[in-house]
Amino acid sequence: MRKFAVALALTASACSYQSPTQPAASAAATAANEPFSLTLGSSVGSGTTADHATITAKVQGPTGQPLGGVVVTFSTTVGALNPEQAATDSNGIGSTTLVASTAATVTAKAGTLSARTGVGTQPAAQPPPTPTPTPGPGPNPGATPTGPLTVTLTAADVIVGSTTILNASIKDGVPPFQVTWTFGDGASFTGSSSSSAHLYAAAGTYPASVSVTDAAGRRADANATINVLAAAPAPAPAPQVPAYTITLTATPSTVVVNTTGVTLSANVNQQFGAPPATSFTWDCGNGATFTTATATQACPGPYPTIGSATAKVTATGGSVTGSGTTTVTVTLPPVPDITVNCTLQAAPPANTISCNISATLSGKAVVDTDITSVDWHWGDSTPTTTTHTNVAPPHTYSAAGIFLVVANNVVVTGTTAKGSNSTSISVH
């Protein structure tokens, strides 16, 4: 006796259902011919037709009756559908054919309803070469039942609003199968797939069943209880405890090292019934601390370390406290930019020059009276001359030549850094 392998192609089907008990879609509020339930199934070919699948959509009314003449629109993520729209027959069934070389997701829409299913299409097998004619085989042993047809129905518990997947395990059946699903909430569907997807509109316990009829005309039934659980309640809000949120600012926010201080100001935001703050503890960030009843504090200088200092305030009102911080930037003192100007006197004595300097600080011109000390180096053997203005006394050279005049250790008001510069002059 020759043995034949029987292959069963199983794909997932899906259905979308709206409970008749919901006010928005109740039987009383819904017209008898308005789609109320849309269930989707699929049947995939094998071998040379493995890239073909029949997609069926069943449309039912609010009392579970099939609705004919409803236009169902199909779409797919892969491949092609023919037709893309189909009207349901008197059994509420509309169908289309999918051709796709890979697995696809097919969506069906009827009115305001929508359902989706995965379809396990794959490349079609190449037909074998035409064999040499041989005598026809005898009866197909595969069509002969090998044992009693049995079916087992399983489904996992889900949270309301999530899709329930029902699976029918069919044993010792002769394909193809007719599979009828009853979901326990008034919806049902007949197709050929061994799995189905269903969306329950409300939490509860639903008696689902499946009835399988095989090609030999045998029937087997199975039941299962579907538990649709209510969604977990939202977490309780955090308790509202009286508190302060504090914004602290420093004016100015940048100071030169070892010079001035800053003024700190606290903006206190009272939250959840917090009382007004009555006490403020200040840390200036340079070692100075104060406790006051006001939201402003002058912090004296200097700030001795270059970089950044963190100032802090803690506000207290009864049992409520809150803190805020800010950063004080501490920089090097700016260095004055010096320009040296020298000219050769036309009047005697000969070889005599007159010099002065000008300065800028942080890009701004320094007035002459703010230049308070200059060391003058004349480029010859004479000693350094120190002046306390920006003008040097006339200097006479003993011989002609080119000399480098240097203004060094220049002190200007507004910085502790000293400047310097030079110029060359020809004496003849």
Side-chain angles (χ1 to χ4, degrees):
M1 174 183 291
R2 297 178 64 186
K3 295 184 179 179
F4 293 83
V6 179
L8 174 63
L10 302 179
T11 65
S13 66
C15 74
S16 174
Y17 173 69
Q18 189 170 7
S19 172
T21 62
Q22 285 189 315
S26 65
T30 305
N33 61 351
E34 181 179 345
F36 186 77
S37 172
L38 174 62
T39 310
L40 198 59
S42 64
S43 176
V44 182
S46 60
T48 58
T49 62
D51 61 343
H52 284 62
T54 299
I55 313 299
T56 58
K58 182 173 183 179
V59 181
Q60 294 171 280
T63 61
Q65 81 280 13
L67 296 180
V70 177
V71 175
V72 180
T73 302
F74 298 93
S75 61
T76 178
T77 57
V78 176
L81 291 163
N82 185 22
E84 295 183 348
Q85 287 188 329
T88 57
D89 58 19
S90 59
N91 295 317
I93 301 295
S95 63
T96 185
T97 299
L98 170 68
V99 179
S101 59
T102 60
T105 299
V106 175
T107 301
K109 294 183 178 181
T112 60
L113 302 181
S114 176
R116 179 181 299 173
T117 185
V119 184
T121 48
Q122 55 186 324
Q126 296 297 320
T130 303
T132 302
T134 57
N140 184 0
T144 302
T146 59
L149 173 65
T150 61
V151 61
T152 302
L153 178 61
T154 58
D157 295 347
V158 295
I159 301 296
V160 65
S162 300
T163 300
T164 302
I165 304 299
L166 298 90
N167 293 289
S169 177
I170 304 171
K171 184 177 180 182
D172 293 329
V174 179
F177 301 105
Q178 177 179 290
V179 185
T180 299
W181 305 87
T182 302
F183 300 108
D185 59 354
S188 62
F189 173 72
T190 298
S192 59
S193 175
S194 64
S195 65
S196 184
H198 189 69
L199 182 65
Y200 290 92
T205 301
Y206 297 89
S209 63
V210 65
S211 179
V212 178
T213 301
D214 71 357
R218 301 178 301 165
R219 172 176 166 173
D221 301 313
N223 302 299
T225 298
I226 310 298
N227 294 312
V228 181
L229 309 177
Q240 295 183 341
V241 179
Y244 296 138
T245 56
I246 300 177
T247 302
L248 183 63
T249 56
T251 306
S253 60
T254 300
V255 296
V256 174
V257 65
N258 291 321
T259 58
T260 59
V262 299
T263 297
L264 300 178
S265 299
N267 182 14
V268 181
N269 181 17
Q270 300 163 231
Q271 295 184 324
F272 310 126
T278 56
S279 176
F280 297 84
T281 300
W282 307 89
D283 180 349
C284 294
N286 62 353
T289 59
F290 304 90
T291 298
T292 68
T294 59
T296 302
Q297 177 60 44
C299 291
Y303 282 83
T305 304
I306 296 170
S308 62
T310 300
K312 179 179 179 180
V313 64
T314 299
T316 303
S319 61
V320 181
T321 62
S323 297
T325 61
T326 191
T327 297
V328 178
T329 302
V330 184
T331 65
L332 285 166
V335 177
D337 186 16
I338 306 300
T339 301
V340 180
N341 306 293
C342 292
T343 59
L344 183 64
Q345 290 186 176
N351 302 334
T352 299
I353 64 172
S354 296
C355 296
N356 64 76
I357 64 170
S358 60
T360 60
L361 185 63
S362 300
K364 295 182 179 180
V366 177
V367 298
D368 292 343
T369 55
D370 284 341
I371 301 174
T372 59
S373 182
V374 184
D375 290 339
W376 296 92
H377 303 275
W378 303 108
D380 57 6
S381 59
T382 58
T384 298
T385 302
T386 300
T387 63
H388 297 288
T389 68
N390 68 313
V391 179
H395 181 76
T396 301
Y397 291 94
S398 59
I402 298 175
F403 300 92
L404 180 66
V405 178
V406 179
N408 199 16
N409 296 324
V410 178
V411 177
V412 302
T413 302
T415 180
T416 57
K418 297 179 180 181
S420 64
N421 208 338
S422 61
T423 189
S424 294
I425 188 167
S426 177
V427 177
H428 52 273

